[in-house]
Each structure stands twice: as structure tokens, then as C-alpha cells.
Amino acid sequence: MAELQFRFATEGDVPLVLRFIKELAEYEGMLDQVVATEEALYEWLFEREKAEVLIGEYDGESVGFALFFHNFSTFLGRSGIYLEDLYVQPNVRGKGFGKAFLKRLAEIAVERGCGRLEWWCLDWNKPSIDFYLKMGAEPMEDWTVYRIAGETLVKLAEKS
């Protein structure tokens, strides 16, 4: 039986990455919020190098991705890895690929001397929450995520 193989995305993978982002957003009921374009992904992934993408391949086909970037913990005094998106196509779920992605990301974090691997999960996504807990992840219940975006961000940035 074939195993999941990993590779870092290349510039030619941008359409695939966008497709996976849209598939994930559809699963999360948030497809209407996806405004990313191939051009934007190319710029931020390959020109500005602000994030990295792992592609998972099974039996010669791309079946999932993990998009991540480095953050920094002042308390640890070193970087961590923030996992923005992890997606495995529905037709290959249940084969341990989610676990394999997290294992590979943990390996990258350790290889790079990072202090942690973290991510957010939607509160309603019980299957993912159960999976993460089974993997040993700990929910950060004392923290609330805050966001400033869109017009509010622009207004905040305006000079007075």
C-alpha cells in the first residue's frame, strides 16, 4: 500500500493550493469569504515568502495541504510554527493522513528549533477537535482571538 509523501509547494502549485483552500472553505461553510487569488498567493508565498505549503501526495495524486508560517513567542524567546490550514480531501480521510501531516509539521518545528506548533479550530468542528485532542493537543481555553480587518483595519491605520 502506498504511503503519503510530502513535498513543499512550488510556484506551479499555486492553482492547486487555491483549489484546496476553496475546498476547505466549502467544508467550513465559508466559501463566500475566500477572496484569495492565484496572483495573491503567488506574491505572498513565493515573492514575499511569508508562508510555506506542504503538499501531501498519495498514489501519485495531491490529496491535501498544510499552509503554515513562523510566529514568535517572547516567553520562549524563539519561533514557533502556526498552522493556518490543514486539509485532506474527503475521499482519502481515515487513512491517517491528518496525523501524518501533523507529524511532519512537528518534525519541521523540531528541525528548525521551534518551541511550539499551534493552530485554531472552529468551535463547531467536533471531529477535528476530537482528533487534535487524541494527538495530544491542548486547547487554549483562557485565550480569545481578536481580529481587526477590512475597513476597520484601514481606519485604524489612517493617520490622525
Side-chain angles (χ1 to χ4, degrees):
M1 181 170 172
E3 289 185 23
L4 186 66
Q5 301 293 316
F6 295 104
R7 65 177 178 81
F8 282 95
T10 64
E11 295 175 2
D13 290 314
V14 169
L16 173 66
V17 172
L18 183 57
R19 189 183 92 213
F20 282 157
I21 289 169
K22 289 180 177 180
E23 288 177 17
L24 173 61
E26 186 171 21
Y27 167 75
E28 293 178 338
M30 302 168 81
L31 184 57
D32 62 320
Q33 296 180 37
V34 176
V35 296
T37 63
E38 289 182 15
E39 294 78 15
L41 290 173
Y42 179 85
E43 175 185 351
W44 288 92
L45 294 174
F46 297 104
E47 290 177 355
R48 297 185 185 216
E49 298 179 343
K50 296 298 181 184
E52 299 175 71
V53 177
L54 273 181
I55 302 289
E57 295 181 335
Y58 176 71
D59 206 19
E61 297 292 323
S62 297
V63 297
F65 84 118
L67 188 146
F68 66 96
F69 54 89
H70 287 272
N71 55 15
F72 192 84
S73 168
T74 56
F75 287 13
L76 295 179
R78 58 184 165 154
S79 288
I81 287 181
Y82 181 81
L83 173 61
E84 177 66 27
D85 286 329
L86 172 60
Y87 175 72
V88 175
Q89 292 184 307
N91 61 313
V92 293
R93 290 185 188 153
K95 296 180 179 290
F97 293 170
K99 182 178 182 179
F101 265 106
L102 286 177
K103 181 181 184 320
R104 182 64 189 117
L105 289 166
E107 290 169 353
I108 292 169
V110 170
E111 289 165 5
R112 295 180 182 183
C114 296
R116 57 174 69 143
L117 169 62
E118 56 192 358
W119 60 92
W120 298 348
C121 184
L122 293 166
D123 290 338
W124 62 261
N125 194 344
K126 185 155 174 36
S128 292
I129 292 168
D130 290 345
F131 167 70
Y132 298 142
L133 292 173
K134 187 176 167 185
M135 294 289 300
E138 298 176 22
M140 302 298 293
E141 295 176 5
D142 294 337
W143 297 83
T144 300
V145 176
Y146 290 90
R147 177 179 293 162
I148 296 176
E151 189 60 31
T152 305
L153 179 64
V154 173
K155 285 181 180 178
L156 181 60
E158 288 176 355
K159 293 182 179 179
S160 54

Short mmCIF file of all heavy atoms in Angstrom, two decimals, residues 29-93:
data_model
loop_
_atom_site.label_atom_id
_atom_site.label_comp_id
_atom_site.label_asym_id
_atom_site.label_seq_id
_atom_site.Cartn_x
_atom_site.Cartn_y
_atom_site.Cartn_z
N GLY A 29 -18.16 25.90 5.41
CA GLY A 29 -19.29 26.78 5.16
C GLY A 29 -18.88 28.23 5.01
O GLY A 29 -19.66 29.14 5.30
N MET A 30 -17.67 28.47 4.52
CA MET A 30 -17.14 29.82 4.44
C MET A 30 -16.61 30.16 3.04
O MET A 30 -15.80 31.07 2.89
CB MET A 30 -16.02 29.98 5.48
CG MET A 30 -16.47 29.71 6.90
SD MET A 30 -15.10 29.57 8.07
CE MET A 30 -14.77 31.30 8.36
N LEU A 31 -17.07 29.44 2.03
CA LEU A 31 -16.56 29.65 0.68
C LEU A 31 -16.77 31.09 0.22
O LEU A 31 -15.93 31.65 -0.49
CB LEU A 31 -17.21 28.68 -0.30
CG LEU A 31 -16.71 28.70 -1.73
CD1 LEU A 31 -15.20 28.44 -1.79
CD2 LEU A 31 -17.46 27.68 -2.58
N ASP A 32 -17.86 31.71 0.66
CA ASP A 32 -18.14 33.09 0.25
C ASP A 32 -17.12 34.08 0.81
O ASP A 32 -17.04 35.22 0.35
CB ASP A 32 -19.55 33.50 0.68
CG ASP A 32 -19.74 33.46 2.19
OD1 ASP A 32 -19.22 32.52 2.84
OD2 ASP A 32 -20.40 34.36 2.73
N GLN A 33 -16.31 33.66 1.76
CA GLN A 33 -15.30 34.54 2.35
C GLN A 33 -13.93 34.46 1.67
O GLN A 33 -13.02 35.22 1.98
CB GLN A 33 -15.14 34.24 3.84
CG GLN A 33 -16.39 34.53 4.64
CD GLN A 33 -16.22 34.22 6.11
OE1 GLN A 33 -15.15 34.43 6.67
NE2 GLN A 33 -17.27 33.71 6.73
N VAL A 34 -13.78 33.51 0.76
CA VAL A 34 -12.49 33.35 0.08
C VAL A 34 -12.36 34.41 -1.02
O VAL A 34 -13.13 34.41 -1.98
CB VAL A 34 -12.34 31.94 -0.53
CG1 VAL A 34 -11.03 31.83 -1.32
CG2 VAL A 34 -12.40 30.87 0.55
N VAL A 35 -11.41 35.30 -0.83
CA VAL A 35 -11.12 36.32 -1.83
C VAL A 35 -9.70 36.14 -2.40
O VAL A 35 -9.27 36.91 -3.26
CB VAL A 35 -11.30 37.76 -1.28
CG1 VAL A 35 -12.76 38.00 -0.90
CG2 VAL A 35 -10.38 38.01 -0.10
N ALA A 36 -8.98 35.15 -1.91
CA ALA A 36 -7.63 34.87 -2.40
C ALA A 36 -7.67 34.58 -3.90
O ALA A 36 -8.61 33.98 -4.41
CB ALA A 36 -7.03 33.69 -1.65
N THR A 37 -6.61 35.00 -4.56
CA THR A 37 -6.44 34.72 -5.99
C THR A 37 -5.11 34.02 -6.18
O THR A 37 -4.25 34.03 -5.29
CB THR A 37 -6.42 36.03 -6.81
OG1 THR A 37 -5.28 36.81 -6.40
CG2 THR A 37 -7.72 36.82 -6.63
N GLU A 38 -4.93 33.45 -7.35
CA GLU A 38 -3.64 32.83 -7.66
C GLU A 38 -2.52 33.87 -7.59
O GLU A 38 -1.44 33.59 -7.08
CB GLU A 38 -3.67 32.17 -9.04
CG GLU A 38 -4.53 30.92 -9.07
CD GLU A 38 -4.54 30.23 -10.43
OE1 GLU A 38 -3.67 30.54 -11.28
OE2 GLU A 38 -5.42 29.38 -10.64
N GLU A 39 -2.81 35.07 -8.08
CA GLU A 39 -1.80 36.13 -8.08
C GLU A 39 -1.39 36.50 -6.65
O GLU A 39 -0.20 36.67 -6.36
CB GLU A 39 -2.32 37.36 -8.82
CG GLU A 39 -2.54 37.14 -10.31
CD GLU A 39 -3.82 36.38 -10.66
OE1 GLU A 39 -4.73 36.25 -9.80
OE2 GLU A 39 -3.91 35.90 -11.80
N ALA A 40 -2.38 36.63 -5.78
CA ALA A 40 -2.08 36.98 -4.38
C ALA A 40 -1.29 35.87 -3.71
O ALA A 40 -0.32 36.14 -2.98
CB ALA A 40 -3.36 37.28 -3.62
N LEU A 41 -1.71 34.63 -3.91
CA LEU A 41 -0.98 33.51 -3.30
C LEU A 41 0.46 33.46 -3.81
O LEU A 41 1.40 33.25 -3.04
CB LEU A 41 -1.69 32.19 -3.58
CG LEU A 41 -3.01 31.98 -2.85
CD1 LEU A 41 -3.70 30.71 -3.33
CD2 LEU A 41 -2.80 31.94 -1.34
N TYR A 42 0.64 33.65 -5.10
CA TYR A 42 1.98 33.64 -5.67
C TYR A 42 2.85 34.71 -5.00
O TYR A 42 3.98 34.45 -4.59
CB TYR A 42 1.94 33.85 -7.19
CG TYR A 42 3.31 33.88 -7.81
CD1 TYR A 42 3.94 32.69 -8.16
CD2 TYR A 42 3.99 35.08 -8.00
CE1 TYR A 42 5.22 32.70 -8.71
CE2 TYR A 42 5.26 35.09 -8.54
CZ TYR A 42 5.87 33.90 -8.89
OH TYR A 42 7.14 33.92 -9.42
N GLU A 43 2.29 35.91 -4.89
CA GLU A 43 3.04 37.02 -4.30
C GLU A 43 3.44 36.71 -2.85
O GLU A 43 4.61 36.86 -2.48
CB GLU A 43 2.20 38.29 -4.32
CG GLU A 43 2.86 39.46 -3.62
CD GLU A 43 1.99 40.70 -3.53
OE1 GLU A 43 0.92 40.75 -4.16
OE2 GLU A 43 2.40 41.63 -2.80
N TRP A 44 2.49 36.27 -2.04
CA TRP A 44 2.75 36.10 -0.61
C TRP A 44 3.52 34.82 -0.30
O TRP A 44 4.28 34.77 0.66
CB TRP A 44 1.46 36.17 0.19
CG TRP A 44 0.96 37.58 0.22
CD1 TRP A 44 0.08 38.18 -0.65
CD2 TRP A 44 1.36 38.60 1.14
NE1 TRP A 44 -0.10 39.50 -0.32
CE2 TRP A 44 0.68 39.79 0.78
CE3 TRP A 44 2.22 38.63 2.23
CZ2 TRP A 44 0.83 40.97 1.47
CZ3 TRP A 44 2.36 39.81 2.92
CH2 TRP A 44 1.68 40.97 2.54
N LEU A 45 3.35 33.79 -1.10
CA LEU A 45 4.07 32.53 -0.86
C LEU A 45 5.47 32.52 -1.47
O LEU A 45 6.40 32.00 -0.85
CB LEU A 45 3.28 31.35 -1.40
CG LEU A 45 1.95 31.03 -0.74
CD1 LEU A 45 1.23 29.91 -1.49
CD2 LEU A 45 2.14 30.67 0.72
N PHE A 46 5.61 33.10 -2.67
CA PHE A 46 6.87 32.92 -3.39
C PHE A 46 7.68 34.20 -3.59
O PHE A 46 8.89 34.12 -3.71
CB PHE A 46 6.62 32.23 -4.72
CG PHE A 46 6.07 30.84 -4.52
CD1 PHE A 46 4.73 30.57 -4.71
CD2 PHE A 46 6.90 29.82 -4.06
CE1 PHE A 46 4.22 29.31 -4.49
CE2 PHE A 46 6.40 28.55 -3.83
CZ PHE A 46 5.06 28.30 -4.04
N GLU A 47 7.04 35.35 -3.63
CA GLU A 47 7.80 36.58 -3.74
C GLU A 47 8.15 37.13 -2.35
O GLU A 47 9.30 37.41 -2.06
CB GLU A 47 7.04 37.62 -4.56
CG GLU A 47 6.95 37.25 -6.02
CD GLU A 47 6.13 38.23 -6.84
OE1 GLU A 47 5.52 39.18 -6.28
OE2 GLU A 47 6.08 38.05 -8.08
N ARG A 48 7.16 37.26 -1.49
CA ARG A 48 7.39 37.78 -0.14
C ARG A 48 7.81 36.69 0.84
O ARG A 48 8.30 36.99 1.93
CB ARG A 48 6.13 38.48 0.37
CG ARG A 48 5.75 39.69 -0.44
CD ARG A 48 4.58 40.39 0.19
NE ARG A 48 4.13 41.49 -0.64
CZ ARG A 48 3.66 42.63 -0.15
NH1 ARG A 48 3.59 42.81 1.15
NH2 ARG A 48 3.25 43.58 -0.95
N GLU A 49 7.55 35.44 0.49
CA GLU A 49 7.92 34.26 1.30
C GLU A 49 7.41 34.38 2.74
O GLU A 49 8.14 34.17 3.70
CB GLU A 49 9.43 34.05 1.27
CG GLU A 49 9.96 33.77 -0.12
CD GLU A 49 11.47 33.57 -0.17
OE1 GLU A 49 12.18 33.96 0.78
OE2 GLU A 49 11.94 33.00 -1.18
N LYS A 50 6.12 34.69 2.89
CA LYS A 50 5.52 34.87 4.21
C LYS A 50 4.87 33.60 4.76
O LYS A 50 4.48 33.57 5.93
CB LYS A 50 4.49 36.00 4.18
CG LYS A 50 5.10 37.35 3.85
CD LYS A 50 6.11 37.77 4.91
CE LYS A 50 6.69 39.12 4.60
NZ LYS A 50 7.73 39.50 5.53
N ALA A 51 4.73 32.58 3.95
CA ALA A 51 4.16 31.31 4.40
C ALA A 51 4.72 30.19 3.53
O ALA A 51 5.30 30.44 2.47
CB ALA A 51 2.63 31.34 4.30
N GLU A 52 4.55 28.97 4.02
CA GLU A 52 5.02 27.79 3.30
C GLU A 52 3.86 26.82 3.18
O GLU A 52 2.94 26.82 4.01
CB GLU A 52 6.16 27.12 4.06
CG GLU A 52 7.38 28.01 4.22
CD GLU A 52 8.44 27.35 5.08
OE1 GLU A 52 9.09 26.39 4.61
OE2 GLU A 52 8.61 27.79 6.24
N VAL A 53 3.93 25.97 2.17
CA VAL A 53 2.88 24.99 1.95
C VAL A 53 3.50 23.62 1.76
O VAL A 53 4.40 23.44 0.95
CB VAL A 53 2.03 25.34 0.71
CG1 VAL A 53 0.97 24.27 0.46
CG2 VAL A 53 1.37 26.71 0.86
N LEU A 54 2.99 22.67 2.53
CA LEU A 54 3.32 21.25 2.33
C LEU A 54 2.19 20.64 1.52
O LEU A 54 1.02 20.82 1.87
CB LEU A 54 3.39 20.52 3.66
CG LEU A 54 4.68 20.48 4.43
CD1 LEU A 54 4.49 19.66 5.71
CD2 LEU A 54 5.82 19.91 3.62
N ILE A 55 2.54 19.90 0.51
CA ILE A 55 1.56 19.16 -0.29
C ILE A 55 1.71 17.69 0.07
O ILE A 55 2.82 17.16 0.13
CB ILE A 55 1.82 19.33 -1.81
CG1 ILE A 55 1.79 20.81 -2.22
CG2 ILE A 55 0.83 18.50 -2.62
CD1 ILE A 55 0.47 21.47 -2.22
N GLY A 56 0.58 17.03 0.33
CA GLY A 56 0.58 15.60 0.58
C GLY A 56 0.16 14.87 -0.68
O GLY A 56 -0.86 15.22 -1.29
N GLU A 57 0.96 13.89 -1.06
CA GLU A 57 0.65 13.11 -2.26
C GLU A 57 0.50 11.64 -1.90
O GLU A 57 1.29 11.08 -1.15
CB GLU A 57 1.76 13.29 -3.30
CG GLU A 57 1.84 14.72 -3.81
CD GLU A 57 2.91 14.92 -4.87
OE1 GLU A 57 3.89 14.13 -4.90
OE2 GLU A 57 2.76 15.87 -5.66
N TYR A 58 -0.55 11.05 -2.47
CA TYR A 58 -0.86 9.65 -2.21
C TYR A 58 -1.16 8.99 -3.54
O TYR A 58 -2.00 9.46 -4.31
CB TYR A 58 -2.07 9.55 -1.29
CG TYR A 58 -2.53 8.15 -1.02
CD1 TYR A 58 -1.79 7.28 -0.23
CD2 TYR A 58 -3.73 7.68 -1.55
CE1 TYR A 58 -2.21 6.00 0.02
CE2 TYR A 58 -4.17 6.40 -1.30
CZ TYR A 58 -3.41 5.55 -0.51
OH TYR A 58 -3.84 4.28 -0.27
N ASP A 59 -0.45 7.90 -3.81
CA ASP A 59 -0.67 7.15 -5.04
C ASP A 59 -0.57 8.05 -6.27
O ASP A 59 -1.37 7.96 -7.20
CB ASP A 59 -2.03 6.45 -4.97
CG ASP A 59 -2.09 5.20 -5.83
OD1 ASP A 59 -1.02 4.66 -6.20
OD2 ASP A 59 -3.22 4.76 -6.15
N GLY A 60 0.39 8.99 -6.24
CA GLY A 60 0.63 9.87 -7.37
C GLY A 60 -0.29 11.07 -7.49
O GLY A 60 -0.17 11.84 -8.43
N GLU A 61 -1.21 11.24 -6.55
CA GLU A 61 -2.16 12.36 -6.59
C GLU A 61 -1.98 13.27 -5.39
O GLU A 61 -1.73 12.79 -4.27
CB GLU A 61 -3.60 11.83 -6.59
CG GLU A 61 -3.96 10.99 -7.79
CD GLU A 61 -4.03 11.80 -9.08
OE1 GLU A 61 -4.50 12.96 -9.03
OE2 GLU A 61 -3.62 11.27 -10.12
N SER A 62 -2.15 14.57 -5.60
CA SER A 62 -2.14 15.53 -4.49
C SER A 62 -3.47 15.44 -3.77
O SER A 62 -4.52 15.60 -4.40
CB SER A 62 -1.91 16.94 -5.02
OG SER A 62 -0.66 17.04 -5.65
N VAL A 63 -3.42 15.15 -2.46
CA VAL A 63 -4.66 14.88 -1.71
C VAL A 63 -4.88 15.80 -0.52
O VAL A 63 -5.88 15.69 0.18
CB VAL A 63 -4.72 13.41 -1.25
CG1 VAL A 63 -4.76 12.46 -2.44
CG2 VAL A 63 -3.56 13.09 -0.31
N GLY A 64 -3.94 16.72 -0.28
CA GLY A 64 -4.12 17.62 0.84
C GLY A 64 -2.97 18.59 0.96
O GLY A 64 -1.98 18.49 0.23
N PHE A 65 -3.14 19.53 1.88
CA PHE A 65 -2.09 20.52 2.08
C PHE A 65 -2.11 21.04 3.50
O PHE A 65 -3.10 20.92 4.22
CB PHE A 65 -2.25 21.68 1.09
CG PHE A 65 -3.21 22.76 1.50
CD1 PHE A 65 -2.77 24.07 1.70
CD2 PHE A 65 -4.56 22.50 1.68
CE1 PHE A 65 -3.65 25.07 2.08
CE2 PHE A 65 -5.45 23.49 2.04
CZ PHE A 65 -4.99 24.79 2.25
N ALA A 66 -0.98 21.61 3.88
CA ALA A 66 -0.85 22.33 5.14
C ALA A 66 -0.14 23.63 4.82
O ALA A 66 0.95 23.62 4.24
CB ALA A 66 -0.06 21.52 6.17
N LEU A 67 -0.77 24.74 5.17
CA LEU A 67 -0.17 26.06 4.99
C LEU A 67 0.23 26.57 6.36
O LEU A 67 -0.60 26.59 7.27
CB LEU A 67 -1.14 27.01 4.30
CG LEU A 67 -0.53 28.35 3.88
CD1 LEU A 67 -1.17 28.84 2.60
CD2 LEU A 67 -0.66 29.40 4.96
N PHE A 68 1.49 26.97 6.51
CA PHE A 68 1.98 27.39 7.81
C PHE A 68 2.99 28.52 7.68
O PHE A 68 3.50 28.80 6.59
CB PHE A 68 2.61 26.21 8.57
CG PHE A 68 3.86 25.67 7.94
CD1 PHE A 68 5.12 26.08 8.39
CD2 PHE A 68 3.80 24.74 6.91
CE1 PHE A 68 6.28 25.58 7.83
CE2 PHE A 68 4.96 24.24 6.33
CZ PHE A 68 6.20 24.66 6.78
N PHE A 69 3.27 29.17 8.80
CA PHE A 69 4.28 30.22 8.84
C PHE A 69 4.85 30.28 10.24
O PHE A 69 4.31 29.69 11.17
CB PHE A 69 3.71 31.58 8.41
CG PHE A 69 2.49 32.01 9.17
CD1 PHE A 69 2.60 32.74 10.35
CD2 PHE A 69 1.22 31.69 8.71
CE1 PHE A 69 1.47 33.14 11.05
CE2 PHE A 69 0.09 32.09 9.40
CZ PHE A 69 0.21 32.82 10.58
N HIS A 70 5.95 31.00 10.37
CA HIS A 70 6.58 31.15 11.68
C HIS A 70 5.98 32.32 12.44
O HIS A 70 5.73 33.38 11.87
CB HIS A 70 8.10 31.34 11.54
CG HIS A 70 8.80 30.08 11.16
ND1 HIS A 70 9.25 29.18 12.08
CD2 HIS A 70 9.10 29.57 9.95
CE1 HIS A 70 9.80 28.15 11.45
NE2 HIS A 70 9.72 28.37 10.16
N ASN A 71 5.73 32.10 13.70
CA ASN A 71 5.37 33.17 14.63
C ASN A 71 6.50 33.25 15.65
O ASN A 71 7.52 32.58 15.50
CB ASN A 71 3.99 32.93 15.27
CG ASN A 71 3.89 31.58 15.96
OD1 ASN A 71 4.89 30.91 16.22
ND2 ASN A 71 2.67 31.18 16.27
N PHE A 72 6.31 34.06 16.68
CA PHE A 72 7.38 34.20 17.66
C PHE A 72 6.79 34.28 19.06
O PHE A 72 5.83 35.01 19.29
CB PHE A 72 8.22 35.46 17.39
CG PHE A 72 9.49 35.49 18.19
CD1 PHE A 72 10.62 34.83 17.75
CD2 PHE A 72 9.54 36.15 19.42
CE1 PHE A 72 11.79 34.84 18.49
CE2 PHE A 72 10.70 36.16 20.17
CZ PHE A 72 11.83 35.50 19.71
N SER A 73 7.36 33.53 19.97
CA SER A 73 6.96 33.58 21.37
C SER A 73 8.00 34.36 22.16
O SER A 73 9.16 33.93 22.26
CB SER A 73 6.84 32.16 21.95
OG SER A 73 6.73 32.23 23.36
N THR A 74 7.58 35.48 22.71
CA THR A 74 8.51 36.24 23.55
C THR A 74 8.82 35.47 24.83
O THR A 74 9.93 35.56 25.35
CB THR A 74 7.93 37.62 23.90
OG1 THR A 74 6.65 37.46 24.51
CG2 THR A 74 7.80 38.48 22.65
N PHE A 75 7.88 34.72 25.33
CA PHE A 75 8.10 33.96 26.56
C PHE A 75 9.12 32.85 26.35
O PHE A 75 9.96 32.60 27.21
CB PHE A 75 6.79 33.36 27.08
CG PHE A 75 5.84 34.36 27.69
CD1 PHE A 75 6.00 35.72 27.54
CD2 PHE A 75 4.77 33.91 28.44
CE1 PHE A 75 5.13 36.62 28.10
CE2 PHE A 75 3.89 34.80 29.02
CZ PHE A 75 4.05 36.17 28.85
N LEU A 76 9.05 32.17 25.19
CA LEU A 76 10.03 31.12 24.88
C LEU A 76 11.32 31.71 24.32
O LEU A 76 12.36 31.06 24.35
CB LEU A 76 9.46 30.13 23.88
CG LEU A 76 8.26 29.29 24.33
CD1 LEU A 76 7.80 28.37 23.19
CD2 LEU A 76 8.59 28.47 25.58
N GLY A 77 11.22 32.90 23.75
CA GLY A 77 12.39 33.51 23.13
C GLY A 77 12.78 32.86 21.82
O GLY A 77 13.94 32.93 21.41
N ARG A 78 11.82 32.26 21.16
CA ARG A 78 12.10 31.64 19.86
C ARG A 78 10.82 31.47 19.05
O ARG A 78 9.72 31.63 19.55
CB ARG A 78 12.83 30.32 20.02
CG ARG A 78 12.12 29.28 20.84
CD ARG A 78 13.01 28.07 20.96
NE ARG A 78 12.55 27.18 22.02
CZ ARG A 78 12.80 25.90 22.02
NH1 ARG A 78 13.49 25.35 21.07
NH2 ARG A 78 12.37 25.15 23.02
N SER A 79 11.02 31.13 17.80
CA SER A 79 9.90 30.97 16.87
C SER A 79 9.10 29.71 17.17
O SER A 79 9.58 28.77 17.81
CB SER A 79 10.41 30.88 15.43
OG SER A 79 10.87 32.12 14.99
N GLY A 80 7.90 29.73 16.65
CA GLY A 80 7.04 28.56 16.61
C GLY A 80 6.50 28.44 15.20
O GLY A 80 6.78 29.28 14.34
N ILE A 81 5.73 27.42 14.98
CA ILE A 81 5.04 27.26 13.70
C ILE A 81 3.56 27.42 13.96
O ILE A 81 2.99 26.79 14.86
CB ILE A 81 5.34 25.90 13.05
CG1 ILE A 81 6.77 25.90 12.51
CG2 ILE A 81 4.34 25.59 11.94
CD1 ILE A 81 7.18 24.62 11.81
N TYR A 82 2.94 28.29 13.17
CA TYR A 82 1.49 28.46 13.21
C TYR A 82 0.91 27.80 11.98
O TYR A 82 1.26 28.16 10.84
CB TYR A 82 1.09 29.94 13.26
CG TYR A 82 -0.41 30.06 13.32
CD1 TYR A 82 -1.07 29.90 14.54
CD2 TYR A 82 -1.16 30.24 12.18
CE1 TYR A 82 -2.45 29.94 14.61
CE2 TYR A 82 -2.54 30.29 12.24
CZ TYR A 82 -3.18 30.14 13.45
OH TYR A 82 -4.54 30.16 13.52
N LEU A 83 0.04 26.83 12.19
CA LEU A 83 -0.62 26.11 11.12
C LEU A 83 -1.91 26.84 10.77
O LEU A 83 -2.86 26.84 11.56
CB LEU A 83 -0.91 24.67 11.57
CG LEU A 83 -1.75 23.81 10.63
CD1 LEU A 83 -1.07 23.65 9.28
CD2 LEU A 83 -2.00 22.45 11.29
N GLU A 84 -1.94 27.49 9.63
CA GLU A 84 -3.12 28.24 9.20
C GLU A 84 -4.21 27.30 8.69
O GLU A 84 -5.37 27.44 9.04
CB GLU A 84 -2.73 29.25 8.12
CG GLU A 84 -3.88 30.04 7.56
CD GLU A 84 -4.55 30.98 8.57
OE1 GLU A 84 -3.89 31.42 9.52
OE2 GLU A 84 -5.73 31.29 8.38
N ASP A 85 -3.83 26.37 7.82
CA ASP A 85 -4.80 25.45 7.23
C ASP A 85 -4.20 24.06 7.12
O ASP A 85 -3.04 23.90 6.72
CB ASP A 85 -5.22 25.89 5.82
CG ASP A 85 -6.15 27.08 5.82
OD1 ASP A 85 -6.93 27.23 6.78
OD2 ASP A 85 -6.11 27.87 4.85
N LEU A 86 -5.02 23.08 7.45
CA LEU A 86 -4.69 21.67 7.21
C LEU A 86 -5.92 21.07 6.56
O LEU A 86 -7.03 21.16 7.09
CB LEU A 86 -4.39 20.95 8.53
CG LEU A 86 -4.22 19.43 8.45
CD1 LEU A 86 -3.08 19.04 7.52
CD2 LEU A 86 -3.99 18.85 9.84
N TYR A 87 -5.73 20.48 5.40
CA TYR A 87 -6.86 19.93 4.65
C TYR A 87 -6.46 18.62 3.99
O TYR A 87 -5.40 18.53 3.36
CB TYR A 87 -7.31 20.92 3.58
CG TYR A 87 -8.39 20.39 2.68
CD1 TYR A 87 -9.69 20.22 3.15
CD2 TYR A 87 -8.12 20.05 1.36
CE1 TYR A 87 -10.69 19.72 2.32
CE2 TYR A 87 -9.10 19.56 0.53
CZ TYR A 87 -10.38 19.39 1.01
OH TYR A 87 -11.38 18.89 0.19
N VAL A 88 -7.31 17.62 4.17
CA VAL A 88 -7.18 16.33 3.49
C VAL A 88 -8.49 16.10 2.77
O VAL A 88 -9.58 16.23 3.36
CB VAL A 88 -6.89 15.19 4.49
CG1 VAL A 88 -6.88 13.85 3.78
CG2 VAL A 88 -5.56 15.44 5.21
N GLN A 89 -8.43 15.76 1.49
CA GLN A 89 -9.64 15.55 0.71
C GLN A 89 -10.48 14.43 1.32
O GLN A 89 -9.95 13.44 1.83
CB GLN A 89 -9.29 15.23 -0.74
CG GLN A 89 -8.70 16.42 -1.46
CD GLN A 89 -8.44 16.14 -2.92
OE1 GLN A 89 -7.78 15.16 -3.26
NE2 GLN A 89 -8.95 17.02 -3.78
N PRO A 90 -11.81 14.60 1.27
CA PRO A 90 -12.72 13.63 1.90
C PRO A 90 -12.53 12.18 1.44
O PRO A 90 -12.67 11.26 2.25
CB PRO A 90 -14.11 14.14 1.51
CG PRO A 90 -13.92 15.60 1.24
CD PRO A 90 -12.53 15.74 0.68
N ASN A 91 -12.20 11.98 0.17
CA ASN A 91 -12.10 10.61 -0.35
C ASN A 91 -10.92 9.82 0.21
O ASN A 91 -10.86 8.60 0.03
CB ASN A 91 -12.04 10.62 -1.88
CG ASN A 91 -10.84 11.36 -2.42
OD1 ASN A 91 -10.53 12.47 -2.00
ND2 ASN A 91 -10.16 10.74 -3.37
N VAL A 92 -9.99 10.49 0.90
CA VAL A 92 -8.84 9.78 1.47
C VAL A 92 -8.74 9.96 2.98
O VAL A 92 -7.72 9.61 3.58
CB VAL A 92 -7.50 10.17 0.79
CG1 VAL A 92 -7.48 9.69 -0.66
CG2 VAL A 92 -7.25 11.67 0.88
N ARG A 93 -9.79 10.48 3.58
CA ARG A 93 -9.77 10.63 5.04
C ARG A 93 -9.89 9.25 5.69
O ARG A 93 -10.40 8.31 5.10
CB ARG A 93 -10.91 11.54 5.49
CG ARG A 93 -10.66 12.98 5.09
CD ARG A 93 -11.70 13.93 5.60
NE ARG A 93 -11.47 15.25 5.00
CZ ARG A 93 -12.39 16.14 4.80
NH1 ARG A 93 -13.64 15.90 5.17
NH2 ARG A 93 -12.10 17.28 4.23
#
